Amino acid sequence: MRLIILTPAEEGGFIAECPSLPGCISQGETREEAVENIKEAIRGFIAALEQDALPVPPEVDSEVLNVAV
């Protein structure tokens, strides 16, 4: 299980990021497409780390909040 962050892109669509895997970013035209694409990116990111015998960062215990400023 990995936390992802979806952000609307300025040019349309959505950007998806996985904070516990720095640099693991994807995008999609719709929220659903962005989620599917980041899932694929996460699987590929972890597979590449494992192939190179590098440690896979653990998921961090996160809490996401929207705050008005």
Side-chain angles (χ1 to χ4, degrees), residues 17-51:
E17 302 178 63
C18 181
S20 64
L21 301 173
C24 188
I25 301 171
S26 193
Q27 62 184 11
E29 291 298 318
T30 64
R31 293 172 65 90
E32 294 78 15
E33 183 180 13
V35 169
E36 287 305 312
N37 289 344
I38 194 66
K39 285 180 181 180
E40 183 178 336
I42 290 168
R43 286 190 290 268
F45 194 100
I46 290 172
L49 290 173
E50 290 173 340
Q51 183 178 4

Side-chain angles (χ1 to χ4, degrees), residues 54-68:
L54 296 171
V56 176
E59 178 58 82
V60 293
D61 188 18
S62 302
E63 184 175 341
V64 177
L65 302 171
N66 285 321
V67 296

